[in-house]
Amino acid sequence: MTMVRVRFAPSPTGYLHVGNARTALFNYLFARKHNGCFLLRIEDTDRERSAVEYEKALLEDLHWLGLDWDEGPDVGGNYGPYRQSERVHLYRQLSEKLLQEGLAYRCYCTKEELQERKEKALAEKGNAGYDGRCRNLTRTQIAAYEKEGRKPVVRFLVPSETIEVNDLIRGHVVFEGETISDFVIVKSDGLPTFHFAVVVDDLLMQITHVIRGEDHLSNTPKHILLFRALKAPLPQFAHMSMTLGPDRTRLSKRHGATSIRAFKEAGYLPEAFFNYLALLGWASTEGQEIFTREELIREFSLKRCSKTAAVFDHQKLLWMNGLYMRKTPPARLLELSLPLLQAQGLLPAQPETKLLARCERLIALEQEKFKTLSDIPERIGFFLKPPVYDPELVEKYLTPAARQILSELATVLENQPEFQPALLENTVRSFCQEKNYRPALVFHPLRVAISGMTKGPGLFEMMALLGKEETLRRLGSVLRNETFRTGKDGGAGPAA
């Protein structure tokens, strides 16, 4: 039995798009399901738009998503090179073969001539495709064109026949050869077009299954004709549904983040993103939504892929990421959020082990509320850095009367032998009873004074984690100042 060989072939012209990442993921799952080979190929023949930094970013983002490949530009393999820019000699050899066999020909038409004939055909409601003008040029005509300095392209001679595609997702699709004009396979600069390069690469790399987006379905008859002309066996084709935004238009920046890198930087977990992408246009037989990687590999089947478009729902992704955040060990959340904490000045470049252990406890305390990694600095930041006070909260909760109550409470807390949540709660409630203060008059100002917020972890758990020294320091900072400075930046702090 032939080993399954699939490929993901991105162009390094920008950051990895969600739709392309989904294509990569489906190829990966299919290969792993069948113990086959998953190959990464870089299609970089677009010299103007391709960039080394984008190729590097592609590899980084695929690795972040959790994909690994068996062959590729960074790992090698028996069918390399794996960059199209390094395979130009192979395209030239096979294009020459087609020329010699009369299956392709050189076309000397200029862009201006082609455009003029196209406009005329459209005006006359005729076929606007290439009219085959250069199919049967004489040697004299060729010599005249070359004397003018025209650089020809190579066109494939399209036979007049019906092309049938037995697509593994979309079923039986028929294309009439008459609708396809002779298309270019080698440009005037000697580089292959997409159609030719992809077929040559799939042929020489022995790809058995071509799994790609349905926008390539219309290209498939051209590819089948090229495979036949090269006397090569056809791979099996599977065209995935498109990835759309909530308004059912093609996913673009107007829908929010669309690149894998943007979601990574926004604090999404790779495991959650992997799981969510797998559900776009595919479903398990049981309707299950939360999967481990191993479960997805075991369950995946092209037969379960939908023909209808997949809608990328940011809210559902956020919900799923929240589930993963809650079940991920705090130590891993700390590891992943460390750059975010450092970027906001909450942790030094080389934090001590004791400080990291404290951060892990803080994360565990607030973990049920996290939706993304970006929530971690926001939720635990006040533990690590003195709070910035919102003027409205100061005006509402840290009034002179409230500060008088806090001053009395501070004296009590100074004599508190242990800062444990249960003991602290008992002390503060006893204080309220003795002074005949409603708990709200004490609890709310106390929370704002030590955290700068009205919400957060349990008040006494928060005080215990801050510790006696820091809790009293923050209370003292508030109590030593009769007024708070405020500014247009929306923040406030104790007056100097």
Side-chain angles (χ1 to χ4, degrees):
M1 186 176 178
T2 303
M3 172 188 277
V4 165
R5 288 178 59 82
V6 297
R7 48 66 168 183
F8 175 56
S11 297
T13 55
Y15 291 117
L16 181 62
H17 187 273
V18 165
N20 290 334
R22 176 173 160 245
T23 300
L25 178 59
F26 279 36
N27 275 277
Y28 170 86
L29 292 173
F30 186 78
R32 296 293 176 258
K33 169 72 176 287
H34 296 282
N35 296 313
C37 175
F38 175 51
L39 181 154
L40 177 65
R41 185 173 74 218
I42 304 297
E43 298 190 344
D44 60 348
T45 53
D46 186 340
R47 290 174 172 172
E48 292 184 3
R49 299 175 59 219
S50 295
V52 174
E53 56 265 32
Y54 284 133
E55 180 184 324
K56 180 182 177 184
L58 278 168
L59 270 61
E60 289 175 353
D61 293 345
L62 288 169
H63 279 307
W64 173 82
L65 187 57
L67 304 187
D68 61 327
W69 40 93
D70 307 294
E71 299 175 24
D74 56 335
V75 297
N78 296 328
Y79 297 87
Y82 294 91
R83 293 185 185 90
Q84 286 187 339
S85 59
E86 299 170 4
R87 299 172 61 81
V88 175
H89 62 290
L90 298 171
Y91 310 132
R92 286 176 180 163
Q93 288 173 12
L94 289 177
S95 65
E96 283 297 326
K97 181 175 184 293
L98 292 179
L99 284 166
Q100 291 170 10
E101 294 176 355
L103 299 174
Y105 60 93
R106 291 185 174 88
C107 170
Y108 292 86
C109 298
T110 65
K111 291 182 180 179
E112 293 75 17
E113 290 170 344
L114 292 171
Q115 183 62 30
E116 182 181 344
R117 295 205 295 269
K118 180 180 179 180
E119 290 175 359
K120 183 179 179 182
L122 288 172
E124 297 174 353
K125 296 183 179 180
N127 187 344
Y130 183 66
D131 59 5
R133 179 92 35 124
C134 292
R135 271 190 178 191
N136 300 298
L137 293 178
T138 64
R139 290 184 180 181
T140 302
Q141 289 173 312
I142 291 173
Y145 282 141
E146 291 187 347
K147 188 176 181 180
E148 289 180 29
R150 297 194 185 196
K151 293 184 177 180
V153 298
V154 177
R155 289 185 181 273
F156 180 70
L157 184 59
V158 176
S160 180
E161 61 181 64
T162 299
I163 304 104
E164 298 184 9
V165 182
N166 291 310
D167 193 276
L168 296 176
I169 294 175
R170 317 205 78 77
H172 187 243
V173 187
V174 178
F175 296 89
E176 297 300 330
E178 290 82 359
T179 63
I180 306 172
S181 58
D182 295 350
F183 55 92
V184 177
I185 59 173
V186 179
K187 295 176 283 189
S188 59
D189 60 4
L191 292 176
T193 60
F194 161 76
H195 298 300
F196 192 56
V198 74
V199 169
V200 170
D201 289 343
D202 286 346
L203 162 60
L204 298 181
M205 294 179 179
Q206 297 186 16
I207 299 302
T208 61
H209 296 75
V210 174
I211 305 171
R212 57 191 181 186
E214 69 172 308
D215 52 329
H216 285 293
L217 181 60
S218 60
N219 296 328
T220 305
K222 294 180 180 179
H223 299 173
I224 288 175
L225 291 174
L226 285 170
F227 275 112
R228 288 177 182 170
L230 293 169
K231 300 178 178 61
L234 288 178
Q236 295 189 68
F237 293 96
H239 288 89
M240 301 161 44
S241 60
M242 296 296 291
T243 307
L244 304 181
D247 58 357
R248 303 196 71 79
T249 61
R250 192 157 186 165
L251 190 65
S252 65
K253 291 181 180 178
R254 70 177 180 278
H255 297 114
T258 59
S259 72
I260 296 301
R261 180 145 301 209
F263 284 102
K264 175 184 176 183
E265 292 172 350
Y268 284 83
L269 295 176
E271 304 94 316
F273 210 89
F274 187 105
N275 189 160
Y276 180 71
L277 271 189
L279 299 179
L280 291 178
W282 174 84
S284 70
T285 55
E286 303 299 325
Q288 181 180 342
E289 289 194 311
I290 305 302
F291 292 87
T292 64
R293 177 191 307 268
E294 292 71 24
E295 287 172 334
L296 282 168
I297 290 172
R298 186 171 64 249
E299 294 288 330
F300 185 78
S301 167
L302 291 175
K303 293 179 180 178
R304 298 289 303 169
C305 290
S306 174
K307 296 179 184 179
T308 57
V311 175
F312 190 92
D313 185 340
H314 284 76
Q315 290 305 310
K316 184 168 183 179
L317 170 62
L318 186 63
W319 165 80
M320 185 173 288
N321 200 72
L323 290 182
Y324 274 84
M325 290 288 291
R326 290 191 284 279
K327 71 178 185 178
T328 298
R332 174 164 165 74
L333 292 181
L334 174 60
E335 177 189 352
L336 294 173
S337 63
L338 200 56
L340 299 174
L341 293 165
Q342 291 168 330
Q344 295 190 26
L346 298 172
L347 287 179
Q350 299 293 332
E352 295 180 356
T353 302
K354 184 177 180 181
L355 179 56
L356 290 175
R358 182 166 179 253
C359 287
E360 192 175 322
R361 292 198 301 274
L362 296 175
I363 288 172
L365 179 66
E366 286 286 80
Q367 188 167 2
E368 288 299 311
K369 301 168 186 173
F370 297 149
K371 291 184 178 178
T372 70
L373 293 170
S374 300
D375 292 336
I376 293 178
E378 181 182 340
R379 289 282 182 179
I380 74 169
F382 71 88
F383 282 105
L384 305 170
K385 196 174 182 179
V388 175
Y389 295 93
D390 184 317
E392 292 184 4
L393 296 185
V394 170
E395 184 178 352
K396 183 175 182 179
Y397 293 106
L398 298 180
T399 62
R403 267 180 274 164
Q404 176 59 42
I405 293 173
L406 292 179
S407 177
E408 297 171 9
L409 178 61
T411 302
V412 175
L413 293 175
E414 284 176 357
N415 297 318
Q416 178 77 21
E418 291 185 64
F419 253 55
Q420 298 297 328
L423 296 175
L424 283 168
E425 181 173 7
N426 184 60
T427 297
V428 175
R429 290 191 181 279
S430 296
F431 168 78
C432 292
Q433 289 178 347
E434 291 173 11
K435 297 288 186 177
N436 199 29
Y437 293 140
R438 287 188 297 109
L441 292 177
V442 179
F443 286 24
H444 293 320
L446 177 58
R447 177 183 287 278
V448 172
I450 64 177
S451 73
M453 300 185 298
T454 57
K455 298 178 180 179
L459 175 60
F460 305 108
E461 287 83 358
M462 180 169 61
M463 292 172 66
L465 280 168
L466 278 171
K468 181 176 182 178
E469 182 179 345
E470 181 63 15
T471 298
L472 291 174
R473 192 195 69 75
R474 293 188 183 188
L475 281 175
S477 179
V478 169
L479 296 173
R480 284 192 301 271
N481 296 274
E482 295 299 325
T483 60
F484 287 78
R485 68 173 184 270
T486 61
K488 294 182 179 179
D489 60 0

